[in-house]
């Protein structure tokens, strides 16, 4: 029986190398996995990019999103070959909801006031705003349970998020029709745990909570993250295997007439 491909989607202020420990865990179990680079330019365009990646895969996929990546899998997860969604310390928006609106329903996180604004050029000659976390604040806000030297490197190498990504609304909510799992980071100072719990509950997700985990849980707790992903893979693999067996066992039209 072929496992679905796990597609790991990183979030803001990070890149795909943050999944290194999770990738090692999944590969050790023979689970196919890819971790595409997230453009971080806006919810609509980033979700379209992820959808194009999914369209080029053979077979089913399990989408895993961290941070802002949760919003992307919520939209792109409507693709026909997506069989499950896994949210890791992530936003879980509803259709028609922006991340800014979702966040505004809860107390501000320590991230507020720690963002540095930059500008970048657009193709039409205009400019737009993107944000990073202040380097000195990054370790405590984003990676409190990661070794200090590693957190310092992450702070220096962080990738900016276009500010437009916070105001664009989700065009779909794949969790309405796809099974979902969620890991809540209980000591998250970037996306508050209450925001994560709310989104997971609204999606009807199977929830695991790590009380002491920071927002960088994919780095600090790769085995626990991989365990949750494996749960989703096993559940969806069994489901699809059962479906194939039911199709093989179903009587053919000629048999029914007889």
């Amino acid at each position: 029986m072929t496992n679905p491909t796990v597609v790991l989607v990183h979030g803001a202020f990070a890149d795909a190398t943050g999944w290194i420990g999770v990738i090692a865990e999944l590969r050790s179990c023979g689970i196919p996995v890819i971790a595409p680079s997230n453009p971080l330019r806006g919810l609509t365009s980033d979700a379209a990019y992820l959808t194009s990646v999914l369209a080029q895969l053979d077979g089913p996929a399990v989408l895993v999103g961290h941070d802002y990546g949760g919003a992307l899998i919520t939209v792109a997860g409507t693709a026909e070959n997506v069989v499950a969604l896994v949210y890791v310390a992530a936003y879980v928006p509803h259709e028609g909801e922006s991340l800014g609106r979702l966040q505004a329903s809860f107390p501000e996180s320590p991230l507020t006031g720690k963002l540095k604004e930059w500008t970048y050029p657009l193709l039409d000659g205009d400019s737009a705003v993107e944000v990073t976390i202040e380097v000195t604040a990054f370790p405590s806000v984003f990676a409190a349970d990661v070794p200090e030297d590693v957190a310092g490197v992450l702070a220096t190498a962080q990738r900016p998020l276009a500010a437009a990504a916070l105001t664009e609304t989700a065009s779909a909510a794949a969790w309405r029709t796809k099974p979902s799992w969620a890991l809540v980071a209980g000591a998250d100072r970037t996306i508050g745990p209450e925001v994560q719990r709310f989104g997971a509950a609204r999606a009807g997700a199977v929830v695991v909570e790590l009380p002491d985990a920071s927002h960088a849980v994919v780095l600090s707790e790769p085995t626990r993250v991989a365990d949750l992903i494996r749960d989703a893979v096993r559940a969806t693999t069994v489901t699809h295997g059962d479906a194939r067996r039911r199709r093989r066992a179903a009587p053919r039209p000629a048999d029914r007439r007889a």
Side-chain angles (χ1 to χ4, degrees), residues 6-9 16-29 31-35 64 66 86 88 183 216-230:
V6 172
V7 181
L8 303 172
V9 184
T17 59
W19 295 107
I20 185 169
V22 176
I23 292 170
E25 290 275 351
L26 296 177
R27 291 182 65 183
S28 71
C29 299
I31 296 174
V33 55
I34 62 172
V64 184
H66 174 241
V86 182
V88 181
L183 187 149
V217 63
V218 297
L219 274 172
S220 62
E221 295 285 355
T223 301
R224 301 293 296 275
V225 173
D227 283 344
L228 187 64
I229 296 170
R230 281 188 283 254

Side-chain angles (χ1 to χ4, degrees), residues 26 48 55 82 84 87 96 104 126 131 149 179 220 249 254:
L26 296 177
V82 174
Y87 295 92
D126 203 351
V131 294
D149 58 338
S220 62

Side-chain angles (χ1 to χ4, degrees), residues 70-146:
L72 299 191
I73 71 170
T74 295
V75 176
T78 56
E80 185 177 355
N81 62 329
V82 174
V83 295
L85 309 169
V86 182
Y87 295 92
V88 181
Y91 286 113
V92 189
H94 206 311
E95 183 176 354
E97 185 176 59
S98 70
L99 300 188
R101 177 182 171 189
L102 173 58
Q103 182 65 60
S105 301
F106 298 89
E108 292 183 344
S109 78
L111 176 66
T112 304
K114 301 299 183 182
L115 293 176
K116 178 177 175 58
E117 292 190 355
W118 307 77
T119 60
Y120 65 97
L122 300 175
L123 292 177
D124 62 5
D126 203 351
S127 63
V129 175
E130 60 186 10
V131 294
T132 58
I133 301 174
E134 293 177 0
V135 170
T136 55
F138 187 96
S140 64
V141 170
F142 193 98
D145 57 352
V146 171

Side-chain angles (χ1 to χ4, degrees), residues 9 37-56 68 71-79 168 171:
V9 184
S37 182
N38 181 350
L40 301 177
R41 295 297 83 182
L43 182 52
T44 301
S45 62
D46 293 345
Y49 174 79
L50 179 56
T51 300
S52 74
V53 172
L54 294 168
Q56 297 173 72
Y68 164 68
L72 299 191
I73 71 170
T74 295
V75 176
T78 56
E168 290 185 39
S171 60

